Short mmCIF file of all heavy atoms in Angstrom, two decimals:
data_model
loop_
_atom_site.label_atom_id
_atom_site.label_comp_id
_atom_site.label_asym_id
_atom_site.label_seq_id
_atom_site.Cartn_x
_atom_site.Cartn_y
_atom_site.Cartn_z
N HIS A 169 45.30 6.15 80.70
CA HIS A 169 44.84 5.31 81.80
C HIS A 169 46.02 4.70 82.54
O HIS A 169 47.05 4.41 81.94
CB HIS A 169 43.94 4.20 81.26
CG HIS A 169 42.76 4.72 80.51
ND1 HIS A 169 41.69 5.31 81.12
CD2 HIS A 169 42.49 4.75 79.17
CE1 HIS A 169 40.79 5.67 80.21
NE2 HIS A 169 41.27 5.35 79.01
N PRO A 170 45.88 4.50 83.85
CA PRO A 170 46.95 3.87 84.62
C PRO A 170 47.31 2.52 84.01
O PRO A 170 46.44 1.74 83.63
CB PRO A 170 46.34 3.72 86.02
CG PRO A 170 45.27 4.77 86.09
CD PRO A 170 44.73 4.89 84.69
N GLY A 171 48.58 2.26 83.91
CA GLY A 171 49.04 0.99 83.37
C GLY A 171 49.30 1.01 81.89
O GLY A 171 49.80 0.03 81.34
N ASP A 172 48.91 2.10 81.22
CA ASP A 172 49.21 2.19 79.79
C ASP A 172 50.72 2.14 79.60
O ASP A 172 51.46 2.82 80.30
CB ASP A 172 48.69 3.51 79.21
CG ASP A 172 47.19 3.46 78.95
OD1 ASP A 172 46.61 2.36 79.11
OD2 ASP A 172 46.61 4.50 78.59
N PRO A 173 51.20 1.34 78.64
CA PRO A 173 52.65 1.23 78.44
C PRO A 173 53.25 2.51 77.86
O PRO A 173 54.43 2.77 78.04
CB PRO A 173 52.79 0.06 77.46
CG PRO A 173 51.47 0.01 76.75
CD PRO A 173 50.44 0.43 77.76
N ALA A 174 52.43 3.27 77.14
CA ALA A 174 52.96 4.49 76.51
C ALA A 174 53.22 5.55 77.55
O ALA A 174 52.44 5.75 78.47
CB ALA A 174 51.97 5.01 75.46
N MET A 175 54.34 6.24 77.40
CA MET A 175 54.66 7.35 78.28
C MET A 175 53.82 8.56 77.90
O MET A 175 53.49 8.75 76.72
CB MET A 175 56.14 7.70 78.19
CG MET A 175 57.06 6.61 78.69
SD MET A 175 56.88 6.37 80.47
CE MET A 175 57.55 7.92 81.07
N PRO A 176 53.47 9.41 78.87
CA PRO A 176 52.72 10.63 78.53
C PRO A 176 53.53 11.50 77.58
O PRO A 176 54.75 11.52 77.63
CB PRO A 176 52.54 11.32 79.89
CG PRO A 176 52.75 10.26 80.91
CD PRO A 176 53.73 9.30 80.30
N PRO A 177 52.85 12.23 76.69
CA PRO A 177 53.56 13.12 75.77
C PRO A 177 54.17 14.28 76.52
O PRO A 177 53.81 14.56 77.67
CB PRO A 177 52.46 13.60 74.82
CG PRO A 177 51.21 13.52 75.65
CD PRO A 177 51.40 12.31 76.53
N PRO A 178 55.11 14.99 75.91
CA PRO A 178 55.65 16.19 76.56
C PRO A 178 54.54 17.20 76.83
O PRO A 178 53.49 17.16 76.18
CB PRO A 178 56.65 16.73 75.51
CG PRO A 178 56.92 15.60 74.60
CD PRO A 178 55.70 14.75 74.59
N PRO A 179 54.72 18.09 77.79
CA PRO A 179 53.70 19.09 78.06
C PRO A 179 53.33 19.86 76.79
O PRO A 179 54.19 20.16 75.96
CB PRO A 179 54.37 20.02 79.08
CG PRO A 179 55.42 19.17 79.73
CD PRO A 179 55.89 18.23 78.66
N ALA A 180 52.04 20.14 76.65
CA ALA A 180 51.56 20.82 75.44
C ALA A 180 51.75 22.33 75.59
O ALA A 180 50.82 23.08 75.85
CB ALA A 180 50.09 20.48 75.20
N TRP A 181 52.99 22.77 75.44
CA TRP A 181 53.28 24.20 75.53
C TRP A 181 52.63 24.94 74.38
O TRP A 181 52.65 24.49 73.24
CB TRP A 181 54.79 24.42 75.50
CG TRP A 181 55.50 24.07 76.77
CD1 TRP A 181 56.10 22.89 77.08
CD2 TRP A 181 55.69 24.92 77.91
NE1 TRP A 181 56.65 22.94 78.33
CE2 TRP A 181 56.42 24.17 78.86
CE3 TRP A 181 55.32 26.24 78.21
CZ2 TRP A 181 56.78 24.70 80.10
CZ3 TRP A 181 55.68 26.76 79.45
CH2 TRP A 181 56.40 26.00 80.38
N ARG A 182 52.07 26.09 74.69
CA ARG A 182 51.43 26.93 73.69
C ARG A 182 51.85 28.38 73.89
O ARG A 182 52.05 28.83 75.02
CB ARG A 182 49.90 26.86 73.79
CG ARG A 182 49.32 25.45 73.69
CD ARG A 182 49.40 24.93 72.27
NE ARG A 182 48.82 23.59 72.14
CZ ARG A 182 47.52 23.38 71.88
NH1 ARG A 182 46.69 24.39 71.76
NH2 ARG A 182 47.08 22.15 71.76
N LEU A 183 51.94 29.12 72.79
CA LEU A 183 52.03 30.57 72.82
C LEU A 183 50.66 31.15 72.51
O LEU A 183 49.96 30.64 71.63
CB LEU A 183 53.04 31.09 71.78
CG LEU A 183 54.52 31.07 72.14
CD1 LEU A 183 55.34 31.51 70.93
CD2 LEU A 183 54.82 31.97 73.34
N VAL A 184 50.30 32.20 73.22
CA VAL A 184 49.00 32.83 73.06
C VAL A 184 49.21 34.32 72.80
O VAL A 184 49.94 34.98 73.55
CB VAL A 184 48.12 32.66 74.31
CG1 VAL A 184 46.71 33.19 74.05
CG2 VAL A 184 48.07 31.21 74.76
N VAL A 185 48.59 34.87 71.77
CA VAL A 185 48.65 36.31 71.53
C VAL A 185 47.65 36.99 72.46
O VAL A 185 46.44 36.73 72.39
CB VAL A 185 48.34 36.65 70.06
CG1 VAL A 185 48.33 38.16 69.86
CG2 VAL A 185 49.38 36.01 69.14
N LEU A 186 48.15 37.85 73.33
CA LEU A 186 47.32 38.53 74.32
C LEU A 186 47.07 40.00 73.99
O LEU A 186 46.31 40.67 74.68
CB LEU A 186 47.97 38.42 75.71
CG LEU A 186 48.17 37.01 76.23
CD1 LEU A 186 48.93 37.03 77.55
CD2 LEU A 186 46.84 36.28 76.40
N GLY A 187 47.70 40.50 72.94
CA GLY A 187 47.52 41.88 72.51
C GLY A 187 48.40 42.14 71.30
O GLY A 187 49.41 41.47 71.12
N ILE A 188 48.00 43.11 70.47
CA ILE A 188 48.73 43.34 69.22
C ILE A 188 49.10 44.80 69.01
O ILE A 188 49.80 45.12 68.05
CB ILE A 188 47.92 42.85 68.00
CG1 ILE A 188 46.68 43.73 67.77
CG2 ILE A 188 47.55 41.39 68.15
CD1 ILE A 188 46.04 43.54 66.40
N ALA A 189 48.65 45.72 69.85
CA ALA A 189 48.80 47.15 69.58
C ALA A 189 50.09 47.72 70.14
O ALA A 189 50.73 47.14 71.02
CB ALA A 189 47.61 47.92 70.15
N GLN A 190 50.47 48.88 69.61
CA GLN A 190 51.59 49.64 70.13
C GLN A 190 51.25 50.10 71.55
O GLN A 190 50.13 49.94 72.03
CB GLN A 190 51.86 50.83 69.18
CG GLN A 190 53.05 51.70 69.53
CD GLN A 190 52.66 52.91 70.37
OE1 GLN A 190 51.50 53.16 70.65
NE2 GLN A 190 53.68 53.66 70.78
N ASP A 191 52.20 50.71 72.24
CA ASP A 191 52.12 50.99 73.67
C ASP A 191 50.83 51.63 74.14
O ASP A 191 50.38 51.41 75.26
CB ASP A 191 53.29 51.88 74.09
CG ASP A 191 54.65 51.26 73.81
OD1 ASP A 191 54.75 50.45 72.88
OD2 ASP A 191 55.61 51.60 74.51
N GLY A 192 50.20 52.48 73.31
CA GLY A 192 49.00 53.19 73.72
C GLY A 192 47.71 52.45 73.48
O GLY A 192 46.64 52.91 73.89
N GLY A 193 47.78 51.28 72.85
CA GLY A 193 46.57 50.49 72.60
C GLY A 193 45.65 51.17 71.60
O GLY A 193 45.95 52.19 71.01
N VAL A 194 44.48 50.53 71.40
CA VAL A 194 43.42 51.07 70.54
C VAL A 194 42.09 50.91 71.27
O VAL A 194 41.72 49.79 71.61
CB VAL A 194 43.36 50.33 69.19
CG1 VAL A 194 42.25 50.91 68.32
CG2 VAL A 194 44.69 50.39 68.45
N PRO A 195 41.37 52.01 71.59
CA PRO A 195 41.63 53.37 71.13
C PRO A 195 42.83 54.00 71.83
O PRO A 195 43.08 53.74 73.00
CB PRO A 195 40.34 54.12 71.48
CG PRO A 195 39.78 53.37 72.64
CD PRO A 195 40.14 51.93 72.40
N HIS A 196 43.51 54.84 71.09
CA HIS A 196 44.70 55.51 71.57
C HIS A 196 44.30 56.89 72.09
O HIS A 196 43.49 57.58 71.48
CB HIS A 196 45.67 55.66 70.38
CG HIS A 196 47.05 56.08 70.75
ND1 HIS A 196 47.39 57.39 70.99
CD2 HIS A 196 48.19 55.36 70.90
CE1 HIS A 196 48.68 57.46 71.26
NE2 HIS A 196 49.19 56.25 71.22
N MET A 197 44.85 57.27 73.23
CA MET A 197 44.51 58.57 73.81
C MET A 197 44.84 59.69 72.82
O MET A 197 45.93 59.73 72.25
CB MET A 197 45.29 58.77 75.10
CG MET A 197 44.87 59.97 75.90
SD MET A 197 45.71 59.99 77.52
CE MET A 197 44.98 61.47 78.23
N GLY A 198 43.88 60.59 72.59
CA GLY A 198 44.06 61.70 71.67
C GLY A 198 43.71 61.39 70.23
O GLY A 198 43.77 62.28 69.38
N CYS A 199 43.35 60.15 69.94
CA CYS A 199 42.98 59.75 68.58
C CYS A 199 41.47 59.73 68.44
O CYS A 199 40.77 59.09 69.24
CB CYS A 199 43.56 58.37 68.27
SG CYS A 199 43.02 57.68 66.69
N ASP A 200 40.96 60.43 67.44
CA ASP A 200 39.51 60.50 67.24
C ASP A 200 39.09 60.05 65.84
O ASP A 200 38.05 60.48 65.33
CB ASP A 200 38.99 61.91 67.52
CG ASP A 200 39.60 62.96 66.60
OD1 ASP A 200 40.44 62.59 65.75
OD2 ASP A 200 39.24 64.15 66.73
N LYS A 201 39.89 59.21 65.21
CA LYS A 201 39.58 58.76 63.86
C LYS A 201 39.95 57.30 63.69
O LYS A 201 40.52 56.68 64.59
CB LYS A 201 40.31 59.62 62.83
CG LYS A 201 41.83 59.58 62.94
CD LYS A 201 42.50 60.54 61.97
CE LYS A 201 42.19 61.98 62.33
NZ LYS A 201 42.96 62.94 61.47
N GLY A 202 39.64 56.75 62.53
CA GLY A 202 40.01 55.38 62.21
C GLY A 202 39.51 54.37 63.23
O GLY A 202 38.39 54.48 63.74
N PRO A 203 40.34 53.36 63.54
CA PRO A 203 39.90 52.32 64.48
C PRO A 203 39.61 52.87 65.87
O PRO A 203 38.78 52.31 66.59
CB PRO A 203 41.06 51.33 64.49
CG PRO A 203 42.23 52.08 63.97
CD PRO A 203 41.68 53.09 63.01
N CYS A 204 40.28 53.95 66.27
CA CYS A 204 40.01 54.54 67.58
C CYS A 204 38.56 54.99 67.66
O CYS A 204 37.85 54.70 68.64
CB CYS A 204 40.93 55.73 67.84
SG CYS A 204 42.69 55.34 67.78
N ALA A 205 38.12 55.73 66.65
CA ALA A 205 36.74 56.21 66.63
C ALA A 205 35.77 55.05 66.52
O ALA A 205 34.68 55.07 67.13
CB ALA A 205 36.55 57.19 65.47
#
């Protein structure tokens, strides 16, 4: 609130995982088994 003596905390920086797969992703082109299938 305005007038609060406490200073605002530092910006809440976060890291977010946006993907985990190797370059071809999943399903991977040419793959017809396992997680791809």
